[in-house]
Amino acid sequence: MVLEGNPEVGSPRTSDLLHSVSQGPCALSSPCEGAQPGEKPIKYGELIVLGYNGCLASGDKGHRRSRLALSRRPHANGVKPDVMHHISTPLVSKALSNRGQHSISFTLSRSHSVIVEYTHDSDTDMFQIGRSTENMIDFVVTDTSPGGSTTEGPSAQSTISRYACRILCDRRPPYTARVYAAGFDASSNIFLGERAAKWRTPDGLMDGLTTNGVLVMHPAGGFSEDSAPGAWREISVCGNVYTLRDSRSAQQRGKLVENETNVLQDGSLIDLCGATLLWRTPAGLLRAPTLKQLEAQRQEANAARPQCPVGLSTLAFPSPARGRTAPDKQQPWVYVRCGHVHGYHGWGCRRERGQQERECPLCRLVGPYVPLWLGQEAGLCLDPGPPSHAFAPCGHVCSEKTARYWAQTPLPHGTHAFHAACPFCGAWLTGEHGCVRLIFQGPLD
């Protein structure tokens, strides 16, 4: 076996690649380098899975949860590109037998492969995300179905890779976070087979894409009241940015976008072909409402004693501690086409349109009639504004700015489709605007 070394393999975007060794998810309660005893570790940011409204249906347990904070590890676990080898493909498994050596293998043909070896990087921390429940995965993510349910079990087919992506965080200020496609497996390797999209870069290096791809969208104007959705891009194994392929698993890559990077910013979305993650920075979370603020808004809304305009019963949003089961007797319901809020009633059904289609007794518009549920995942909110709007047709309630932003944000679906969805439950949005302003009636006294 002849090995050809190339010590100049590093590049501005590939030199920061690294691997997460088995040190637990984020070591949030462990002291970090430079941290005083009892001092909280430095937080790089948080990942929030869209569609769960604060908690998985089965509960947040271990590495499988709806939200994860990434903090500086007690010891750096990064690796960076070191040497590139050209070898015979049948000898790849022998060359990669050393589990202590991290590497990426690019199979170019049945007889030729390229292996890029990595060395330790003391300046970075790595966090891996994927479907696998092995120790090297810090954040276990499964397919999200509309309504906040997950696809689990041995018979369930998933489009999310076992080792979907990795996030690299600088251990020193400003603690920049970067996302890369693919993650290292239990043998500390990444394999791009003969059928995977891969190529040589103009400077002689190797790069490639995963089967279903890792897509990223950076919002224009940050994640704030003035935000607007950006363009979706695909991230390569080496962290370069490309336009989207014709379909999710097409072998032909998109065009290189040289003026964009894989650096995550507040509000960046990461799509893993089955689940979408939202990245929030510590500074961005300071602008988001807290759980205490959301609870205060719920109590304030109930204190206004809104009434059903027909039944004249007093309406009240249930406590989040009660969970989303069957609607409460005092639960507000809304006609999502017009926004008129009522208590539950059984009249107005249109047989030709099914039980979910009702006629509003105030304006006579016919459409879905659903219970209202307050959005409880504060990290999905752009501002701490009052709960004035609801998504259609699911009925999740949030501020106007939050509702309008998500209603105009297309999320990847399937191999090449995009569709706006409720960030709290994942339901596809319908209607002209995807959300509606709520019209409450106050007490008559």
Side-chain angles (χ1 to χ4, degrees):
M1 175 175 64
V2 178
L3 300 182
E4 246 179 64
N6 177 14
E8 301 300 324
V9 70
S11 73
R13 293 188 185 177
T14 60
S15 61
D16 289 321
L17 294 181
L18 59 154
H19 167 57
S20 174
V21 296
S22 301
Q23 292 186 12
C26 292
L28 288 175
S29 59
S30 301
C32 294
E33 282 181 13
Q36 299 299 321
E39 182 181 347
K40 288 186 178 181
I42 292 172
K43 184 164 70 173
Y44 299 130
E46 293 193 18
L47 288 169
I48 303 171
V49 187
L50 301 189
Y52 294 104
N53 201 20
C55 185
L56 298 181
S58 57
D60 289 350
K61 303 172 184 177
H63 296 198
R64 191 193 299 269
R65 51 204 316 112
S66 67
R67 180 173 183 156
L68 186 71
L70 274 57
S71 296
R72 190 163 64 175
R73 296 184 183 276
H75 305 287
N77 67 335
V79 295
K80 55 187 176 182
D82 185 27
V83 180
M84 183 166 69
H85 304 292
H86 294 265
I87 69 172
S88 172
T89 296
L91 299 175
V92 168
S93 58
K94 183 177 181 181
L96 300 178
S97 60
N98 182 6
R99 291 199 174 197
Q101 180 70 59
H102 306 90
S103 62
I104 299 182
S105 172
F106 300 86
T107 302
L108 303 182
S109 67
R110 295 183 178 180
S111 60
H112 184 203
S113 292
V114 174
I115 295 178
V116 180
E117 293 183 352
Y118 290 77
T119 187
H120 178 68
D121 183 3
S122 61
D123 296 325
T124 52
D125 282 333
M126 179 65 187
F127 302 91
Q128 298 208 137
I129 305 161
R131 177 170 48 87
S132 173
T133 57
E134 296 171 273
N135 287 337
M136 80 290 301
I137 297 298
D138 300 285
F139 196 11
V140 178
V141 178
T142 53
D143 296 69
T144 303
S145 302
S149 59
T150 57
T151 304
E152 300 182 20
S155 62
Q157 293 186 350
S158 175
T159 51
I160 300 175
S161 170
R162 289 181 299 163
Y163 318 105
C165 73
R166 55 200 190 279
I167 292 178
L168 177 156
C169 299
D170 291 343
R171 291 174 61 84
R172 295 182 175 87
Y175 308 113
T176 303
R178 299 176 177 87
V179 61
Y180 300 82
F184 293 89
D185 62 17
S187 299
S188 304
N189 300 312
I190 293 175
F191 292 92
L192 291 182
E194 192 172 351
R195 295 184 179 182
K198 54 192 166 318
W199 58 91
R200 288 184 182 274
T201 62
D203 49 4
L205 307 180
M206 295 298 301
D207 203 354
L209 305 173
T210 55
T211 301
N212 290 330
V214 174
L215 308 187
V216 171
M217 189 274 281
H218 305 302
F223 197 66
S224 64
E225 298 180 15
D226 300 321
S227 295
W232 281 96
R233 306 296 192 193
E234 182 162 11
I235 301 297
S236 71
V237 170
C238 293
N240 294 299
V241 182
Y242 293 86
T243 59
L244 302 185
R245 290 179 269 183
D246 290 338
S247 65
R248 201 69 188 248
S249 57
Q251 291 200 342
Q252 182 62 43
R253 71 178 187 271
K255 295 181 180 179
L256 178 66
V257 185
E258 297 186 6
N259 62 338
E260 297 183 20
T261 73
N262 61 337
V263 174
L264 296 176
Q265 63 186 57
D266 191 40
S268 292
L269 291 175
I270 306 171
D271 187 81
L272 305 179
C273 194
T276 305
L277 314 179
L278 172 69
W279 172 258
R280 297 303 312 268
T281 63
L285 288 171
L286 291 177
R287 298 190 297 268
T290 64
L291 290 177
K292 287 185 177 180
Q293 286 177 312
L294 294 180
E295 175 59 17
Q297 289 178 351
R298 183 188 75 87
Q299 294 182 11
E300 183 178 352
N302 291 346
R305 295 172 55 213
Q307 286 191 341
C308 173
V310 177
L312 301 182
S313 58
T314 300
L315 308 177
F317 287 102
S319 169
R322 180 176 169 273
R324 180 169 178 170
T325 54
D328 188 85
K329 291 182 179 180
Q330 289 185 290
Q331 187 111 9
W333 286 63
V334 66
Y335 290 90
V336 296
R337 283 196 62 194
C338 60
H340 285 116
V341 179
H342 292 250
Y344 179 77
H345 55 74
W347 64 77
C349 294
R350 303 298 288 264
R351 293 182 180 179
E352 69 275 13
R353 300 198 184 187
Q355 288 294 321
Q356 292 299 317
E357 296 281 308
R358 302 284 187 93
E359 180 182 86
C360 176
L362 297 184
C363 66
R364 300 300 182 184
L365 278 178
V366 177
Y369 174 65
V370 298
L372 292 176
W373 304 92
L374 291 173
Q376 292 300 315
E377 179 49 81
L380 301 176
C381 301
L382 273 75
D383 66 339
S388 59
H389 285 62
F391 289 108
C394 61
H396 277 101
V397 181
C398 58
S399 70
E400 177 180 6
K401 294 285 187 180
T402 299
R404 295 196 184 281
Y405 174 78
W406 289 108
Q408 64 178 344
T409 300
L411 301 178
H413 175 75
T415 57
H416 57 269
F418 289 81
H419 205 291
C422 170
F424 300 107
C425 71
W428 287 12
L429 302 184
T430 59
E432 182 179 356
H433 303 292
C435 60
V436 63
R437 182 176 67 88
L438 299 176
I439 304 174
F440 289 92
Q441 175 172 298
L444 296 179
D445 56 359

